[in-house]
Each structure stands twice: as C-alpha cells, then as structure tokens.
Amino acid sequence: MNCADIDIITASYAPEGDEEIHATGFNYQNEDEKVTLSFPSTLQTGTGTLKIDFVGELNDKMKGFYRSKYTTPSGEVRYAAVTQFEATDARRAFPCWDEPAIKATFDISLVVPKDRVALSNMNVIDRKPYPDDENLVEVKFARTPVMSTYLVAFVVGEYDFVETRSKDGVCVRVYTPVGKAEQGKFALEVAAKTLPFYKDYFNVPYPLPKIDLIAIADFAAGAMENWGLVTYRETALLIDPKNSCSSSRQWVALVVGHELAHQWFGNLVTMEWWTHLWLNEGFASWIEYLCVDHCFPEYDIWTQFVSADYTRAQELDALDNSHPIEVSVGHPSEVDEIFDAISYSKGASVIRMLHDYIGDKDFKKGMNMYLTKFQQKNAATEDLWESLENASGKPIAAVMNTWTKQMGFPLIYVEAEQVEDDRLLRLSQKKFCAGGSYVGEDCPQWMVPITISTSEDPNQAKLKILMDKPEMNVVLKNVKPDQWVKLNLGTVGFYRTQYSSAMLESLLPGIRDLSLPPVDRLGLQNDLFSLARAGIISTVEVLKVMEAFANEPNYTVWSDLSCNLGILSTLLSHTDFYEEIQEFVKDVFSPIGERLGWDPKPGEGHLDALLRGLVLGKLGKAGHKATLEEARRRFKDHVEGKQILSADLRSPVYLTVLKHGDGTTLDIMFKLHKQADMQEEKNRIERVLGATLLPDLIQKVLTFALSEEVRPQDTVSVIGGVAGGSKHGRKAAWKFIKDNWEELYNRYQGGFLISRLIKLSVEGFAVDKMAGEVKAFFESHPAPSAERTIQQCCENILLNAAWLKRDAESIHQYLLQRKASPPTV
C-alpha cells in the first residue's frame, strides 16, 4: 500500500469471522512511497479487517498532514494541524491505497485538545471526553460517501465561523481566524448562492449534509476542494469591507465558484487517473465564470476570462515545450507538473468553445447524463464526450480529440474577395508557433468551430462552420463592399487569426469607434501582438494599432493591452531606449487617466474601480509626472493617518512611490507590512516591493523574502516581483535563487510553487547565453517537478532574444519619429 514518512508499529489482518494474524515484517520502498506487509503464511482470498498502528510526523511541507503557523490576537505564535492530500499525499497521513480510482467510505475520529475546533469532510455525530486525558476530547464524524483518498481532510485549530443555510437546506459555514468572522460573510453569501445554482445546472443535488469553507494560514495552492471541507489561502476567502479591493472580491467569488463546482465534478464523479486531471480543473475553471456571472453580472466576467485564461493559455501553448491537455502520468512527481495553465486555462478555454459549439441546453443535458451515470464512480475524458455526443448529436469526440490529444492550436489565415453582392473568404489553418513557423513533417490539423460576423450585426454570428480540413472557401451572402468581416466572434474559438492587410485595415476603425464588441477588440489586438512576437508581422504595426485604443472604455481590454505593453517594456529594458517606450505608455494611458481621475464618481461600479487602479498604476510606474506627485501626496496622508487610501488605490500608489522612492520609502513599506493585520494587505505590499530600483534596496527586499515576516507560500511572489521590477532586479533575483537554492528547494520541492518561482524569476531574460546558464544550473540542481517549466523558460528566453534582434531597431526608429511628429488624435 502507499505510505510516506510513516512508521508502522504493528499490523494485523483478521479474515471475516476468524482470528487475527500479525504481520511479521514491513518493507518500505521509499522511492515509490510504498510499504509491503509480510505475513507468516498466505492470506486467504476474501474480506477481512486490516489493522495498522502507526506514527507519522506533522510536517512543515504544506502537504500531507502538516502544521500551519498563526499568531493569536494577543500576538502569541501557535500551530493548527491541517491537511492537503491532492495529488498523492494522503499517504503521508495514513497508510492507504492512494489513487483516485480506489474509492472507499471513511469513518474518521479525531482526538484533540478540548478548546480546539476539529473539522472533517462530514458532520460531527459524537463528541466525548477522552478517557486518558481530561484536556482532550474524541470527536467522531459521520461516514463519508464512497470517495477518493485525495479528497479526505481534517483540520484542528482555533477558528471562528459564520453560517447560513442555502435554499436547498445545506448548512454552509465559513471558518476564519479568531476575531475575523466578519471577513467570512462575503464568501458565505457567494457559497449560499452557488450551491443552488450548481444543483439546478447539473440537476443533481449536493450530496452531503454540510459544507465548510476554511481559511488556512500556510497554504501552497489557492484552495482545495476536499469534499464538504474546502480549504483556502486566507486571501482566497477573507474579505474585509474596508480593506479589501475590488479585485480581491472577484478573486474570492471565482475561487469559491471553482471549488464548489468540484463537489460535483471531481468529488461525486472522479477522474480515473491523473491523465484526466485537466477534465477536473479545466471544467471547474470554466464553470467558475458561469457561476460568478450568475451571482455578479456587473463584473462582465466573461470578457475577463479571455484576458485571464484564454490568452495566457495560448501564450504557453504556442511553445515547442508545451504539452497536450491530456498527458500520460506515471510517477507521482509527474502529477505536480500538470497543475499548470494548460490543464486549467486551456482546459477551460476548450470547454468554453465546446459549450458554445453545443449550445447551453444540450450541454446541460449531457452534463446531467454524465454525472448521473458515473456518480460515486470514476470516469475518463471519453465518457464525458460520449454523454455530450448523446445529448447534442454532434461529433464531440472527433472534434475534441484534436484539442486534447495534440498540443498547440491553429493559426487561421484569411483573405477575402468581393464577388458581386457576396464576400468570398479563403481560410487556411496551420499550427501557430511562438517561433514563427512550424518545422516538422506533418503539420497537425484541428477541427475548428468557426464563427463569422460582419459590421451589419457585430454581436451575432452570420455564419457558423466546422473547419475540418487544411483549407476552405466560404461564401458570405449579401455583404456590401464597405462592410467588415471578422472571424471568431466573442473570441471563443481557441485559435489565432491572421487577416490579409485589406481585411485588417477595414477592421481597425471598429476599434476607434467601438463598433467592434469589447471582447473582439481585445482578441484582435492580442492576436496581432502575438503575431509580432512570433515574427510574422512587425511590432511597429502593433504599436500603431495600440494607439487606436485612445477612446477605449472597457477595463478588460485595457488590462490586456497593459499586459502586452508590459511584456514589450520588459523586452526593451535590455536596450538603451527603455525610456522611449515609457513615453509611449504614458501617451497611450494618459487620456483615459485624465477621464477617470483619482476619485470614484457617483454611479461607478466594480469595473471602474479595477480600471482606475490599472491605469494609475501604469502611469505611475512609467513616471507620469502628475500621477507621481499625486501618489506621493496621498501616500503621505495615508501613512500619517490623515486620509487612509481606499483599498483599490493602494497597489498603484505603493508601486508608484516605491519605484520612484528611496530607502526611507522602503522602510515605511516594511513598517506598513508589519502593522497590517490582514493577509491581503501584506500580500499587496509583498507584490510591489520589487519595484524599488536601487541595488542595495533590492538586496534588502530579497533578504526580506526569506525572513520570518513572509509566509512561505508568499516568498515566491516577493522574489518574482523583484525579477519583474527592473533589469537589475532580474539579475539580482536570479543570483539570489542560485545562492539560496538549497533552502528554496527544500521548502517547495515536489509542489507547483517551485515551478512558479522559476518561471517568475527567469522568463524576462532576453540574451541567448542566459538560456544556457539557466539550463546548466538546473542540470546540476535538478527539480523534477519543474522540468517542463525550465524548458519553457529557456525557450522563452531564446524567443525574446530573437524578437529583440529582429525588431528593436525598427521599434526605436518608430518611437523617435513619433516624438518628432506627435500623432493627431
């Protein structure tokens, strides 16, 4: 059976109705995390009871059964005991058969100090004094349904809670640190609204009598969907009306939506093996948006999906070192590698495309068939396709296999010709590669659901087709010569589009006059940017398009634009005209900055708050004079307690004053960090510390990252912030990682935090020899669970270097010429 870091004292087996036989030997295979029990004679086939008496450690690895450190309101340091078993760590808490397909019921009892809260997957059915010690109690929980080991959970610690009943009568509680029950209310509301939403969507009731959501101080992931006891990082669950910003609320709503979806999709029906992890995660990452859109229509969350998930997945999936959505997984260390943007974000994107292709009604019908047929069992990707195929009558498996079994995605090239009253389109598909062109024997092909819209009705598909061959001609009836034609309405299809120059020309006015819908403006700009990055078109072309966004009102469109300009800024930090691109950023962002101003206007909502923070942060970072002065003034008032900054303005203000500040500014930030009572505020400060520019201050920030002041799971974002903050920061962070590798590796090995650390710290380099240096370092300091990430980073460094060689000079010329004759808006 599976067993890791556990010592077995005695073990015996009693065949049903017979006496017990004691095991005579325990052979541990540590490499495979297994133990073999030997008995004096062959055991008879049949049922029986295996009893094991064992000792394990409450570790500090944020996996298995571990300790989580917290400080009481009076300032005393204490520990809670908590679990994190996914993917293969239940075996660190008890010997078991630790694979998703081996399901069982669990009867759990915990013996705990009587003044502590004890929780598990099910409700408490008995609580009695423990005979040997009057300070302890024995808490017994109800038997669980048939379930996988990775979903078992128990927590012992000090917590407060808020509770409610959902309209289906499920008891919902949110557990918070002591004294912070108030901060659990937002998540409680979302959870109580979400359970009935899923019950209706799947047409299957929530199967347990209760659900608890709990904030854990030390937590490696964002959250974990343990059945009936969902664990979260504090920042993914707690919201303080005064100190939480709009983006934190949105994040909490999404994570709650994601984990509760798993109670059905993952917990009730579980993947057969980790190869199908993507199905669990991709599905939950898609439906969390559906759920938030239901609870908060004002968030315009589906537009945000495109920027947060779809474009991120495409960026990673264009690399030669990407991987298919479905990956065969052998050893447990390979499981950690696939908790990445392909499983989550590409998974979610192809499910969004599939949902659009099938239609909501048939999709729901298929989901219900799937969940009903496989409840309390295990299923594979093919099983879901079969249910959806039966419900919709469409060739789901054939279409979807092209998206899940091969890596990458297509670039659709399109040109048009006017033939009398009709428009003839010629489409061709080939694999989109970050390096420009596909080199290889047979170019992979996809079955691509394509939608086409025209300026006659930009929000409606004029035609839907399934492109199942390399080239296709399509006739659009009754399209006048002056009308534009656009592919991929709503940016739903997982492909990039390259238009002939005439088609592109006709689309650009639609950006300026906003007649193209926001998500289509975003998609168009993002496609162009990635085509430039791949060397298919010139970066200058994209800069010209970016200037057409002067009138843009939409937050998500700005967010994506900002992200791409950030990538370009990082690239150009390797040149001597970095300042010129900052001027460009100021020119692009100052009109919207002036329109928004610093203070919320009456009637503004969630998205205005997000946009203001984004724009002011961008202008402040680029050194826009008026923004910098105002940020300094407001920061001073904030620190002196005259006028506390609203939560939405803190990140941009902190970032601005730090980047253009000195040692005193940094010391004030450290002090604010120490005083902050809320993890969200601590994280907010940790993320911006890397903006500081002076070499000795950068060292100070890096030292701080590993100090007791920063929770282990947050060290990664401090170091990442330094690497992303400046050219000097990037070098310093990489050196720091090499110098402290042993400590960092011991802390995060075999988890996805190590991958995240490596990615954040090296992917900004743009010199060929750095790729070699990174590769060589990890050859002598192996990190098995981050191998793929390391290859992707090296590939990205080489791509950056090629991009710089190719386009730096023309970008520089363009920026100089712009300065000489400013464009007329």
Side-chain angles (χ1 to χ4, degrees), residues 380-397:
T381 303
E382 292 68 46
D383 298 316
L384 178 62
W385 297 162
E386 192 185 344
S387 297
L388 290 169
E389 204 153 292
N390 288 338
S392 68
K394 290 184 170 164
I396 305 305

Side-chain angles (χ1 to χ4, degrees), residues 425-587:
L425 301 184
R426 286 191 200 83
L427 310 179
S428 60
Q429 62 157 309
K430 52 178 191 285
K431 183 181 185 317
F432 178 72
C433 298
S437 53
Y438 180 75
V439 272
E441 288 299 292
D442 301 325
C443 190
Q445 292 292 319
W446 286 264
M447 292 177 77
V448 195
I450 288 182
T451 51
I452 304 171
S453 60
T454 70
S455 42
E456 189 180 357
D457 185 351
N459 293 297
Q460 228 29 65
K462 188 171 174 79
L463 189 64
K464 290 185 173 189
I465 52 166
L466 185 66
M467 181 172 182
D468 52 5
K469 31 186 181 296
E471 291 177 359
M472 258 177 119
N473 288 346
V474 182
V475 176
L476 289 180
K477 295 273 177 208
N478 301 320
V479 178
K480 299 188 180 68
D482 59 349
Q483 289 180 347
W484 52 251
V485 168
K486 180 173 184 304
L487 260 63
N488 205 0
L489 172 71
T491 316
V492 174
F494 199 74
Y495 57 89
R496 292 202 179 279
T497 310
Q498 184 188 0
Y499 295 98
S500 66
S501 45
M503 283 184 83
L504 184 61
E505 275 307 299
S506 70
L507 280 164
L508 295 183
I511 293 180
R512 284 195 192 87
D513 66 16
L514 310 179
S515 59
L516 264 174
V519 70
D520 290 289
R521 302 197 290 271
L522 188 162
L524 196 59
Q525 177 266 134
N526 200 288
D527 279 352
L528 288 169
F529 187 76
S530 67
L531 288 170
R533 212 174 168 178
I536 296 169
I537 62 172
S538 130
T539 309
V540 170
E541 291 308 303
V542 187
L543 290 174
K544 289 178 181 164
V545 171
M546 286 177 167
E547 295 184 70
F549 283 86
N551 308 317
E552 183 56 58
N554 185 284
Y555 159 69
T556 313
V557 178
W558 275 114
S559 166
D560 200 66
L561 199 63
S562 159
C563 202
N564 288 338
L565 278 169
I567 292 168
L568 199 56
S569 281
T570 301
L571 183 77
L572 298 179
S573 67
H574 299 271
T575 67
D576 52 9
F577 59 91
Y578 179 67
E579 282 316 307
E580 267 90 349
I581 192 74
Q582 299 314 302
E583 289 301 316
F584 182 83
V585 170
K586 284 187 266 191
D587 286 349

